[in-house]
Amino acid sequence: MSGLLQAIGFGIVTAAIVGLSAVALSLQFGVTNFPNFAHGEFLTVGAYTAFAMQHVTQNLAVDTLVGAAAGAALGYLMNRFAVEPFMRGGKRVIVLLVVSAAASQIIEGVLSMIFGQSNVVLQTPLQVAHHVGPFLWTTLDIQIIVAAVVAVGVLHAMLHYTTFGKAQRAAADDKMLAQITGIKTARVITGTWLITGAMAGGAGVALAATVGSFNNLLGFNFLLVTFAAAIIGGIGRSVGAILGALTIGIITEVTGYYLNAGYKQEFALVALVAFLFIRPQGILAPLQVAE
């Protein structure tokens, strides 16, 4: 039983990282109405930025904030130069999917040229294990969980209680109607890319800190579980993305404990397929924007 509880505990930590990534993807999809296939590279850019910064600050918290800022900057650039021109031209969703996939390959290539293809290590402070209820978590694990809860909580509050959040929801529901009522949808979309890029960048730093070593495929290899969590939860819903992340995190860690940890990605895919058969609309019915 202790082994099972440990696996569930690891699953909760994994769910915190997946949740950050999935909520960001879900919000971006809700506002722009297309899935960003370069989302994984936002995580990778955040991780590499933190890796570069650790030679300057040697403070993981500061490195994480800078990594999140790098993700936000990438979100702005992605929207400004890769997405916005095609959306302005009224291109179909399939064109945006191809553009984002091409952007993914370009970013991976640039990172490979800068940092090489060999694995690098994001240094973390010496960890101490703590008993939290039935779980055994390190200080880093607890920090990741707390950071994820705070980030999602702030996002939820922003969406419901701020003018910008209400504008996001209106723009996602009907962009033309939002424009008629005076909402500057272009600014809303830009702000959304900044927010989701920051969340993804922070998730990338957390992921890099937990896996130890990584390369330019860090985020790409994590994209499947991100999409699985968002779809299982009901894409377009932040609460659904969290529930989907918990489902994916616990399933992959528990099955990895009892079977083979090398097939966690495959277990996530099996869980996704099973949920699509049982409840194709996701745990929560999808809406146009995360809420």
Side-chain angles (χ1 to χ4, degrees), residues 188-265:
V188 170
I189 292 173
T190 299
T192 300
W193 278 100
L194 288 170
I195 293 168
T196 57
M199 291 186 69
V205 179
L207 178 61
T210 56
V211 301
S213 64
F214 65 95
N215 58 19
N216 64 324
L217 296 179
L218 173 72
F220 178 81
N221 293 334
F222 200 67
L223 190 60
L224 172 62
V225 294
T226 296
F227 269 102
I231 293 171
I232 286 175
I235 192 163
R237 299 291 294 269
S238 60
V239 175
I242 293 298
L243 294 176
L246 280 170
T247 302
I248 289 295
I250 292 175
I251 286 177
T252 55
E253 294 297 340
V254 170
T255 52
Y257 172 75
Y258 284 108
L259 299 176
N260 189 325
Y263 294 102
K264 290 182 181 180
Q265 294 271 357

Side-chain angles (χ1 to χ4, degrees), residues 19 31 42 45 91 112 121 132 176 266:
V31 174
F42 285 65
V45 167
K91 300 297 183 181
S112 177
V121 177
V132 182
M176 184 172 294
E266 285 71 15

Side-chain angles (χ1 to χ4, degrees), residues 111-169:
L111 291 174
S112 177
M113 288 188 293
I114 297 174
F115 297 98
Q117 295 183 335
S118 299
N119 282 19
V120 299
V121 177
L122 182 64
Q123 301 293 337
T124 59
L126 183 64
Q127 297 300 304
V128 178
H130 306 274
H131 284 281
V132 182
F135 308 124
L136 185 63
W137 287 329
T138 65
T139 303
L140 179 63
D141 293 336
I142 296 172
Q143 289 172 340
I144 289 173
I145 293 171
V146 171
V149 171
V150 170
V152 174
V154 170
L155 176 66
H156 180 81
M158 183 205 71
L159 287 171
H160 285 81
Y161 305 113
T162 68
T163 302
F164 179 76
K166 293 175 182 178
Q168 274 185 305
R169 294 163 61 109

Side-chain angles (χ1 to χ4, degrees), residues 56-136:
V56 179
T57 65
Q58 297 183 341
N59 185 310
L60 186 59
V62 174
D63 298 341
T64 301
L65 291 175
V66 177
L74 179 60
Y76 174 82
L77 294 173
M78 178 84 176
N79 176 60
R80 179 67 178 83
F81 298 106
V83 176
E84 191 178 271
F86 290 95
M87 293 189 71
R88 194 186 305 119
K91 300 297 183 181
R92 293 184 299 173
V93 172
I94 187 64
V95 175
L96 296 174
L97 295 180
V98 174
V99 169
S100 66
S104 169
Q105 296 299 306
I106 293 171
I107 296 169
E108 285 180 15
V110 171
L111 291 174
S112 177
M113 288 188 293
I114 297 174
F115 297 98
Q117 295 183 335
S118 299
N119 282 19
V120 299
V121 177
L122 182 64
Q123 301 293 337
T124 59
L126 183 64
Q127 297 300 304
V128 178
H130 306 274
H131 284 281
V132 182
F135 308 124
L136 185 63

